[in-house]
Amino acid sequence: MVGPVVWSSELVVVSHQPVGMLGHLFVETRRHVATLDSLTVPEVEAVARAVRLVAMGLRAELAPEFVFSAVAGRQVAHFHQHVFVRHQGTPEALAWHEDWAEAPTGDVGALSTVLSRYF
């Protein structure tokens, strides 16, 4: 887990990035595996369900321009999927995966509590 836990099950944990841009969450498996293709079918299904619910919650609560999802990471040999927003007003010059220094910030714990309603 990275930051405040939004929701968890026997297979996955959803947490919010502890600092930085509001609306960057992680969906990770409880079982430690390095890659997507190492997940079991039930783990893949749990990840997919959690990612969808996180995206729905972020869209409803933050009204972003986009909600993105990516499996990327070479530094940690543990599967995790990023789900993050592109806030309204983000400069076009920023790539889809770049953080905007002036993006909205806020109470990550409060957002985590609100998002837990979507599970």
Side-chain angles (χ1 to χ4, degrees), residues 26-70:
F26 301 93
V27 177
E28 61 185 295
T29 55
R30 287 193 180 270
R31 188 171 65 93
H32 291 276
V33 297
T35 60
L36 177 62
D37 58 312
S38 299
L39 299 177
T40 65
V41 170
E43 286 170 330
V44 169
E45 291 170 346
V47 166
R49 178 181 180 275
V51 167
R52 179 177 179 273
L53 293 173
V54 166
M56 290 171 54
L58 288 173
R59 180 159 309 280
E61 299 302 324
L62 298 179
E65 185 177 346
F66 293 104
V67 177
F68 294 113
S69 177

Side-chain angles (χ1 to χ4, degrees), residues 4-8 14 25 49 53-54 57-58 61 108-119:
V5 172
V6 174
W7 179 82
S8 65
V14 177
L25 289 92
R49 178 181 180 275
L53 293 173
V54 166
L58 288 173
E61 299 302 324
V108 169
L111 178 62
S112 294
T113 299
V114 168
L115 291 176
S116 70
R117 295 188 322 223
Y118 292 86
F119 288 90

